[in-house]
């Protein structure tokens, strides 16, 4: 039962992230259960999970609907994030890295360089890169020593939809460019290049956002109109 529940959740998540449903589309438990040949119990659990992830919203007397998220919303989030990440890199470059933080970043960069030796982008590689990317950015956030900045950055990085989309359109070439960005940011910080560190960090996050926005806009052009019957996931 647990395995079936995970499978149903994964199928519905993929359908939402893949643009099969327009924002505002109501997801009917009975229709989904019939389409997936399961009871309503795993469907209900899946809808609750996706709502907790920020992909759906619950509407009283109506049920769950796909949350509307336009490309301009994503762009707005990344404008803020790019500036916050740039400020973080600037502060760290100004203050310098402790031996502990320097060591942690060295380890992340060494592991991400090794990860590039694999032949193709897979779910396993995605999970490994997600961990390395989080460790790199979280180490810089901690090294900034600014608790208010850390709170704002972590909040901006914890938006469920973007966490789901962040590596959706990655490949080995994208990984290599991201690793190179991290390496250059680290070099600028250790070299005390304050302005360069800030600029590199901002550009790194900006490009990440633009990649997501570009693909999201493409999906918007092929999403069915809101209000149409949700098809099987």
């Amino acid at each position: 039962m647990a395995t079936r529940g995970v499978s149903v959740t994964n199928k519905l998540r993929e359908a939402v992230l893949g643009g099969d449903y327009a924002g505002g589309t109501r997801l009917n438990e009975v229709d989904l259960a019939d389409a997936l040949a399961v009871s309503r119990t795993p469907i209900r659990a899946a809808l609750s999970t996706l709502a907790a992830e920020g992909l759906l919203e619950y509407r009283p007397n109506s049920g769950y609907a796909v949350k509307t998220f336009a490309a301009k919303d994503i762009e707005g989030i990344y404008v803020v994030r790019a500036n916050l990440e740039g400020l973080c890199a600037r502060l760290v470059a100004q203050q310098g890295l402790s031996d502990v933080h320097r060591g942690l970043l060295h380890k992340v960069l060494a592991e991400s360089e090794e990860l590039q030796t694999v032949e193709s982008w897979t779910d396993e590689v995605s999970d490994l890169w997600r961990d390395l990317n989080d460790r790199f950015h979280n180490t810089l956030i901690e090294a900034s020593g600014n608790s208010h900045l850390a709170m704002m950055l972590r909040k901006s990085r914890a938006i469920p939809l973007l966490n789901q989309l962040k590596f959706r359109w990655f490949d080995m070439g994208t990984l290599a460019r991201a690793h190179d960005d991290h390496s250059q940011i680290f070099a600028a910080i250790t070299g005390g290049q304050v302005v360069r560190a800030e600029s590199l960090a901002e550009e790194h996050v900006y490009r990440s956002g633009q990649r997501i926005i570009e693909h999201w806009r493409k999906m918007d052009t092929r999403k069915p109109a809101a209000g149409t019957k949700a098809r099987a996931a």
Side-chain angles (χ1 to χ4, degrees):
M1 181 64 71
T3 301
R4 177 177 294 182
V6 171
S7 175
V8 169
T9 300
N10 288 341
K11 286 180 180 179
L12 289 179
R13 182 188 294 112
E14 182 64 24
V16 172
L17 291 173
D20 292 345
Y21 307 129
T25 300
R26 189 171 80 86
L27 301 183
N28 182 276
E29 287 184 14
V30 175
D31 291 340
L32 290 171
D34 290 343
L36 295 175
V38 296
S39 71
R40 292 174 63 181
T41 300
I43 295 295
R44 192 175 297 115
L47 294 176
S48 178
T49 296
L50 298 188
E53 292 177 356
L55 300 179
L56 307 179
E57 57 185 353
Y58 182 76
R59 298 174 177 175
N61 303 318
S62 179
Y64 291 98
V66 177
K67 191 170 183 178
T68 301
F69 223 106
K72 66 178 181 180
D73 297 316
I74 299 174
E75 187 167 22
I77 291 167
Y78 270 89
V79 165
V80 173
R81 266 202 58 197
N83 280 276
L84 291 174
E85 295 275 6
L87 175 58
C88 180
R90 180 185 185 90
L91 290 176
V92 178
Q94 286 175 336
Q95 299 162 181
L97 286 165
S98 68
D99 290 342
V100 171
H101 289 136
R102 185 188 296 265
L104 289 172
L105 291 171
H106 262 304
K107 182 174 174 57
V108 167
L109 291 174
E111 291 180 20
S112 61
E113 183 171 359
E114 183 179 352
L115 187 60
Q116 293 180 70
T117 62
V118 301
E119 294 183 357
S120 59
W121 183 261
T122 63
D123 288 342
E124 181 181 5
V125 173
S126 177
D127 289 341
L128 289 170
W129 174 250
R130 182 186 297 272
D131 177 63
L132 289 168
N133 184 69
D134 286 345
R135 283 161 55 193
F136 179 85
H137 287 279
N138 287 335
T139 298
L140 290 182
I141 292 171
E142 183 178 298
S144 74
N146 188 311
S147 61
H148 298 289
L149 176 61
M151 177 184 66
M152 294 175 70
L153 263 173
R154 289 189 172 119
K155 185 174 182 179
S156 73
R157 291 175 58 81
I159 296 172
L161 175 66
L162 298 187
N163 279 339
Q164 294 287 345
L165 291 176
K166 193 183 300 182
F167 305 119
R168 186 176 180 82
W169 299 288
F170 249 63
D171 54 30
M172 295 309 296
T174 316
L175 187 155
R177 288 190 293 275
H179 166 73
D180 186 57
D181 284 352
H182 287 180
S183 298
Q184 290 190 50
I185 292 168
F186 177 71
I189 288 172
T190 56
Q193 298 173 297
V194 175
V195 175
R196 178 169 169 76
E198 181 176 27
S199 176
L200 287 171
E202 285 186 4
E203 183 64 21
H204 170 63
V205 175
Y206 174 79
R207 284 205 306 270
S208 177
Q210 288 301 304
R211 186 184 68 254
I212 294 173
I213 292 164
E214 177 185 351
H215 286 283
W216 193 257
R217 282 178 174 150
K218 288 178 182 177
M219 291 199 306
D220 273 343
T221 62
R222 63 181 180 84
K223 286 179 183 176
T228 58
K229 187 176 179 179
R231 72 170 183 80

